[in-house]
Amino acid sequence: MKGLYGQPVYKVNVDAGFTCPNRDGSLAIGGCIYCNNDSFRPSACTSTASLRDQIEKGIPYLRSRYGAKQFIVYFQPYTNTYASVHILEQLYREALDNPGVVGLAIGTRPDCIDAEKIALLETLSREHFILVEYGLQSIYDKTLAFINRGHDYACFKNALALTAGRGIHVGAHLILGFPTETRDEMLAMADELSGLPIEFLKIHQLQVVKETALADLYAKKPFATFGYHEYIEMLADFLERLSPDIVLQRLFAAAPDEILIAPVWNKTRSELLRDLDTFMEQRGSYQGKKR
Ligand code: SF4
């Protein structure tokens, strides 16, 4: 972003009031078994405030805390392309119509995109930085079925084919640690994703959080979750196999303590990054080393 805009660009998180087809009954009601949107939504971001209010409140905070001057509006919770193109265009243009906003990041499901929506994003991307982040979580259909994801891996690849090569930046979101996968299978995802037109990747460890179907499963039959050092080693191995061209936007999750059941590490973001850096340095590791 510094290369593109000459300085860091900060994300302003917003909740535009979308729901998700995996929760509203179109596909399913229960949603993905790990899904509790409170685990990843900052408390300042709430759909009861208008989009403009959320942006106008978020920007001054980032300006005063970080000296930020340029911003990307991040449509984060739920499925942010799950509406008609007409409504999407209104929302996206409202977000872009704000001094300092240079673009949008739009989190969504790969089954909630179509040619018309992509055409809208392509138009916007001619003048703005437009990033679509597809929730993938796993490349294995057995896992996608286990987590009640409501789409398969082929659906993700179709969405990528629709999106790539149009000036729209593409990101993906992956979770490591599902009990349906071996360590080798998790690592193989780095090889697979490296061959796809993905520019940005978010990875995090599976977290069991309260008020989810996964928490019920875990209570009935606990399964192994990553220990802290085990995850650091996993990340280092994964990064070695990942293309150095993919920009990592996230390496771990940090659900609020009050809803987190497992794994409990009691580590801050900076501690994890420092420990990962130290571990990789000691081992002579770097992203793409084993490609
Ligand atoms: S697609 Fe996203 S919002 Fe919908 S149920 Fe799954 S994790 Fe939750």
Side-chain angles (χ1 to χ4, degrees):
M1 297 312 287
K2 272 189 192 167
L4 282 175
Y5 294 99
Q7 55 190 286
V9 178
Y10 289 78
K11 272 185 177 163
V12 183
N13 292 49
V14 294
D15 181 341
F18 288 100
T19 173
C20 164
N22 210 15
R23 302 181 65 117
D24 72 0
S26 305
L27 266 178
I29 290 176
C32 305
I33 60 170
Y34 55 82
C35 176
N36 174 336
N37 267 246
D38 289 338
S39 68
F40 53 78
R41 176 174 29 199
S43 53
C45 153
T46 152
S47 65
T48 53
S50 76
L51 183 60
R52 196 169 294 277
D53 282 353
Q54 292 176 59
I55 297 169
E56 285 176 359
K57 267 190 196 141
I59 284 180
Y61 170 76
L62 293 168
R63 276 194 211 283
S64 66
R65 172 133 196 215
Y66 303 107
K69 294 194 177 76
Q70 299 190 89
F71 308 91
I72 282 179
V73 175
Y74 182 22
F75 288 79
Q76 184 183 27
Y78 299 106
T79 303
N80 294 279
T81 58
Y82 188 40
S84 69
V85 175
H86 176 67
I87 290 174
L88 294 178
E89 180 161 15
Q90 275 183 342
L91 284 168
Y92 298 159
R93 289 201 185 274
E94 185 180 338
L96 290 165
D97 180 29
N98 217 297
V101 172
V102 296
L104 307 177
I106 300 164
T108 193
R109 293 169 53 90
D111 58 355
C112 286
I113 206 78
D114 57 36
E116 226 188 330
K117 292 174 187 173
I118 290 294
L120 166 66
L121 297 175
E122 185 177 9
T123 303
L124 296 175
S125 72
R126 291 193 194 117
E127 292 186 11
H128 306 278
F129 181 94
I130 304 294
L131 165 64
V132 180
E133 291 181 13
Y134 288 118
L136 168 61
Q137 322 312 352
S138 172
I139 64 168
Y140 300 107
D141 285 345
K142 62 177 178 180
T143 298
L144 297 175
F146 169 73
I147 64 178
N148 193 37
R149 187 71 198 161
H151 65 75
D152 57 13
Y153 180 47
C155 172
F156 172 78
K157 288 214 281 191
N158 288 340
L160 272 191
L162 265 183
T163 318
R166 293 168 170 266
I168 304 164
H169 300 280
V170 184
H173 186 259
L174 200 67
I175 298 177
L176 298 177
F178 288 118
T180 41
E181 291 167 16
T182 64
R183 193 176 194 279
D184 282 349
E185 284 175 321
M186 291 175 210
L187 288 174
M189 293 200 280
D191 305 329
E192 172 73 13
L193 297 186
S194 296
L196 299 178
I198 292 171
E199 298 167 76
F200 296 92
L201 183 63
K202 288 180 173 173
I203 314 169
H204 69 76
Q205 80 281 18
L206 178 65
Q207 291 193 309
V208 182
V209 298
K210 289 181 184 166
E211 292 175 31
T212 62
L214 189 64
D216 295 341
L217 274 178
Y218 187 77
K220 281 186 202 130
K221 199 173 171 199
F223 49 85
T225 55
F226 274 117
Y228 182 64
H229 295 290
E230 192 187 8
Y231 186 64
I232 296 239
E233 195 171 349
M234 176 74 201
L235 273 181
D237 288 346
F238 191 93
L239 296 184
E240 285 184 350
R241 286 169 65 163
L242 189 69
S243 163
D245 297 329
I246 295 179
V247 177
L248 289 150
Q249 287 199 337
R250 185 185 296 158
L251 292 164
F252 60 99
D257 288 348
E258 25 335 330
I259 61 170
L260 178 63
I261 296 172
V264 176
W265 294 342
N266 292 318
K267 297 283 181 185
T268 62
R269 285 167 201 273
S270 50
E271 282 172 331
L272 193 135
L273 287 174
R274 180 201 62 201
D275 293 345
L276 176 64
D277 258 349
T278 307
F279 181 78
M280 290 185 76
E281 246 175 70
Q282 282 168 350
R283 213 171 71 161
S285 279
Y286 53 86
Q287 186 179 343
K289 181 179 179 182
K290 293 204 172 148
R291 291 202 55 73

